[in-house]
Amino acid sequence: MAFTVPPPRSPLDSDGGLARWYEHELGWATVPGPPVQLVTGLRFDVLELPATAGRGVLRRMGAGTGPVALMGRRMRLLVAAGSAEEVPGLLDWLEWGGISLDLAILGTDGRMTAPLPPGRGGSGAPGAAVWLRAPVPGREVESSLPALRSAPWGGADGPCLVRLVGAAAAECHRARLLSVRTGGPAPQQLPPQRFASS
């Protein structure tokens, strides 16, 4: 009879290892889990939308987004810290105010489930958080995040938050219209707002 010995566990196999990776490699605050969560509102905020709409945003924006994560049927686009306060006003200014969109923003005191770092293999669990566009350790992540150009954190070379929010609103609306036309389930309706956790 042969016995199989499991491979040694990597330091990221435990929640503590995952939290340490985010804290040491990226300087991001975490909340122990399971699951480990990343604190929003400090180094970044998160624009959250349905994955179907998110794919359209990524096609439209190309490289005009920062890191992007997927968890189940929701896509999370990292934006500059402080953006959560700007998004409701931007939606009004872009004439999307009052229209029901499945779009949410996580800002101060929010939480985002931490995806496994790039190249670390997935958990295999359906709907587990994964990076589609991962942050790169050792690089300044904040300068690559969409921001208002006039805001102190918005660099002239960084992606534009106004364009991202406009594209996200249009794609959320398009996904809703397609769902209604094809007789599919109506997407969950969430007003733009900050959430305490996700």
Side-chain angles (χ1 to χ4, degrees):
M1 176 188 291
F3 292 99
T4 305
V5 176
R9 292 174 53 129
S10 76
L12 288 176
D13 286 343
S14 69
D15 288 339
L18 181 59
R20 277 193 301 282
W21 187 88
Y22 278 102
E23 290 168 357
H24 293 201
E25 296 295 324
L26 297 173
W28 292 357
T30 63
V31 176
V36 172
Q37 295 184 329
L38 304 175
V39 179
T40 62
L42 300 174
R43 304 286 299 270
F44 60 88
D45 288 350
V46 175
L47 188 64
E48 184 181 275
L49 64 165
T52 54
R55 284 191 288 277
V57 170
L58 296 180
R59 278 193 303 275
R60 281 180 180 224
M61 297 294 293
T65 66
V68 178
L70 180 70
M71 183 169 175
R73 295 182 183 182
R74 304 291 291 175
M75 190 174 289
R76 294 169 173 172
L77 293 87
L78 273 59
V79 295
S83 297
E85 287 78 25
E86 304 296 335
V87 168
L90 281 177
L91 287 169
D92 286 340
W93 184 72
L94 293 166
E95 298 184 358
W96 287 105
I99 297 174
S100 186
L101 301 170
D102 191 2
L103 186 63
I105 186 83
L106 305 170
T108 303
D109 297 325
R111 307 283 184 268
M112 172 184 144
T113 301
L116 285 178
R120 305 295 174 141
S123 69
V130 296
W131 285 113
L132 298 179
R133 293 183 182 171
V136 179
R139 282 179 146 176
E140 175 68 22
V141 174
E142 286 77 9
S143 63
S144 71
L145 299 178
L148 287 176
R149 299 254 197 268
S150 61
W153 60 87
D157 298 331
C160 179
L161 181 65
V162 175
R163 285 190 61 228
L164 179 65
V165 169
E171 291 298 331
C172 284
H173 189 62
R174 176 176 296 169
R176 181 172 183 231
L177 291 176
L178 287 173
S179 173
V180 169
R181 187 169 23 150
T182 60
Q188 179 185 6
Q189 300 302 311
L190 297 173
Q193 58 183 312
R194 286 179 285 159
F195 292 114
S197 63
S198 67

